[in-house]
Amino acid sequence: MLVLAAGCSKDHGTADAGSTLSAQDKALKYTQCMRDHGVQMDDPQFHGQEIDLGQIKETDQSKIQSAEQACAQYKPGRESNGNVPAEKLELLRQMSRCMREHGVENFPDPDSSGKLPVPDSLRSDPQFASAESTCLKQQNTPNATSS
């Protein structure tokens, strides 16, 4: 397990407090901040320039949303306006279409900021795991549905 040296204090400072950090440092701070706010998640994985944030283990959506809001300044991969780059947003849309094509009919599309909240009811769908595996292989983007 990766040991995180970067912490997340209760006072998160200004909205751009994380703007001078590298993407990897942001991922580490984001993960620690989420944990500090009670959301258990896996460590981020680094693949060259690509960062896969760890899968969120928490099931309480209100706790997740609250933590994401508190830790947003550290979440890597966001442009300064809070939106994901267009190419990443299109990948998320492709993932959503793929999930629906593979039997998870009510799988949502991401919003303009790249959030793709997946309700627990969909995660418990018997076809979810198979569809997710198939779609992730097609996109080669691990953890696409964990954000």
Side-chain angles (χ1 to χ4, degrees):
M1 175 175 256
L2 182 64
V3 176
L4 300 176
C8 175
S9 67
K10 297 211 185 265
D11 177 14
H12 297 290
T14 62
D16 60 356
S19 64
T20 61
L21 298 173
S22 73
Q24 285 189 353
D25 286 341
K26 278 186 168 185
L28 293 171
K29 283 189 78 74
Y30 177 77
T31 301
Q32 187 59 49
C33 183
M34 292 290 284
R35 290 174 179 161
D36 288 348
H37 284 84
V39 175
Q40 291 305 308
M41 61 186 293
D42 293 336
D43 291 329
Q45 301 296 310
F46 306 107
H47 311 280
Q49 296 287 3
E50 291 294 314
I51 297 173
D52 295 327
L53 290 177
Q55 183 171 358
I56 293 176
K57 304 293 186 180
E58 179 64 50
T59 58
D60 181 345
Q61 291 299 315
S62 63
K63 185 185 277 189
I64 293 169
Q65 289 174 349
S66 175
E68 284 179 337
Q69 195 171 34
C71 303
Q73 65 197 12
Y74 301 118
K75 191 167 187 177
R78 305 282 174 182
E79 296 175 337
S80 60
N81 63 4
N83 293 333
V84 294
E87 60 273 7
K88 296 227 183 232
L89 188 56
E90 181 54 32
L91 282 174
L92 289 170
R93 287 182 181 135
Q94 288 173 9
M95 179 70 177
S96 293
R97 283 191 295 272
C98 182
M99 292 293 287
R100 290 190 293 267
E101 289 169 2
H102 287 89
V104 186
E105 296 170 2
N106 294 321
F107 196 87
D109 282 317
D111 65 19
S112 63
S113 68
K115 290 187 179 182
L116 185 56
V118 180
D120 290 338
S121 60
L122 288 183
R123 290 185 186 278
S124 63
D125 183 313
Q127 296 180 5
F128 184 90
S130 174
E132 182 180 43
S133 176
T134 297
C135 295
L136 288 174
K137 285 178 187 170
Q138 287 179 4
Q139 281 197 333
N140 193 24
T141 53
N143 294 326
T145 61
S146 68
S147 45

